[in-house]
Amino acid sequence: MKIMLIQSSPNKDGLTSACAFAAEEGIRKSGGEVEEIYLNELNIDHCHACNDGWGTCRKEHKCQELDDFQALHLSMAQADGYVIVTPVYWGDLSESAKAFTDRLRRCEAPQDEGKSIMFNKPVIVVAAAGGSGRGTITCLLSLERWIQHVQGRVFDLLPVNRWSREYKITAIYAAGVALVNDLQQNRNTSY
Ligand SMILES: Cc1cc2nc3c(=O)[nH]c(=O)nc-3n(C[C@H](O)[C@H](O)[C@H](O)COP(=O)(O)O)c2cc1C
């Protein structure tokens, strides 16, 4: 089982990274393979809403803006499940996560039901609010809607702040274990 672990903080030694590391440990513990993606190290521009609204994304399900998006889009198709760990910025996902998820949605949301590369694949989202601790729910709400648009399956949505860090790290590890176990047990189950 290949799980893509996507994190979108520029800081590799903060709360977001600690959460991502916990998920990685859990996935590996249950025998999953992890592909780590650091969105801030990639060159992924925002959606340009080409041609007054839609570009090749709408009918060809490919983005015409050429950068690191294309390779990541292909990798996403090969994965069995996903963990997205984002810092909370302004009560929402980080800019790098927004740019990537916006463009992926443009390509996959217009697919017929069942045809998206993420169709029925489980997604865990972790929102790490390292400041006031506010804004995790609105961040998770945005990503829950996104999962629905790209035809994925919400596996878990986990808010974390500085005060809940210790016990949420344990929960994130457990979520990683459960994600792989679920995939192994439900290979042919449709939801
Ligand atoms: C532009 C910006 C906006 C932020 N907005 C919030 C916020 O709404 N709520 C919050 O708790 N923390 C907020 N923070 C703090 C981040 O959530 C915190 O830095 C986060 O844990 C990322 O830290 P890390 O990258 O070290 O994990 C914000 C930080 C930045 C840079």
Side-chain angles (χ1 to χ4, degrees):
M1 296 295 168
K2 186 170 124 181
I3 311 300
M4 288 195 70
L5 175 57
I6 299 169
Q7 61 162 302
S8 63
S9 170
N11 181 11
K12 285 192 169 176
D13 190 27
L15 180 62
T16 307
S17 278
C19 295
F21 183 71
E24 181 177 355
E25 294 272 288
I27 292 162
R28 291 199 199 283
K29 169 77 179 169
S30 48
E33 184 193 332
V34 179
E35 182 177 347
E36 278 183 90
I37 304 292
Y38 293 94
L39 285 178
N40 290 64
E41 292 181 351
L42 299 179
N43 174 30
I44 296 182
D45 200 0
H46 63 83
C47 171
H48 286 205
C50 304
N51 311 325
D52 296 332
W54 290 93
T56 52
C57 49
R58 191 173 200 174
K59 296 225 163 93
E60 296 171 34
H61 313 296
K62 290 179 187 155
C63 182
Q64 66 193 71
E65 182 68 28
L66 300 181
D67 55 21
D68 290 338
F69 175 82
Q70 280 70 26
L72 186 51
H73 191 187
L74 287 175
S75 295
M76 292 288 286
Q78 305 305 317
D80 300 297
Y82 312 89
V83 179
I84 300 173
V85 188
T86 182
V88 174
Y89 288 174
W90 314 113
D92 215 329
L93 46 162
S94 71
E95 291 85 353
S96 62
K98 181 85 175 108
F100 172 63
T101 55
D102 278 352
R103 284 174 66 187
L104 191 71
R105 174 163 54 189
R106 284 288 191 141
C107 295
E108 299 303 329
Q111 296 268 24
D112 291 339
E113 175 72 16
K115 297 291 185 195
S116 163
I117 59 161
M118 292 181 69
F119 177 67
N120 210 21
K121 293 180 183 176
V123 188
I124 293 172
V125 179
V126 179
S132 65
R134 291 192 288 267
T136 52
I137 301 306
T138 40
C139 176
L140 292 173
L141 189 62
S142 292
L143 281 162
E144 184 190 43
R145 198 177 301 121
W146 176 82
I147 294 167
Q148 182 192 333
H149 290 153
V150 295
Q151 304 182 19
R153 173 162 58 98
V154 175
F155 191 84
D156 206 352
L157 304 170
L158 292 147
V160 185
N161 62 32
R162 287 183 279 156
W163 307 282
S164 65
R165 174 181 177 141
E166 199 175 323
Y167 60 87
K168 289 292 176 64
I169 290 277
T170 305
I172 294 164
Y173 172 88
V177 170
L179 180 77
V180 176
N181 287 344
D182 177 86
L183 282 165
Q184 285 163 349
Q185 285 161 17
N186 298 302
R187 259 178 198 276
N188 301 311
T189 305
S190 59
Y191 289 84

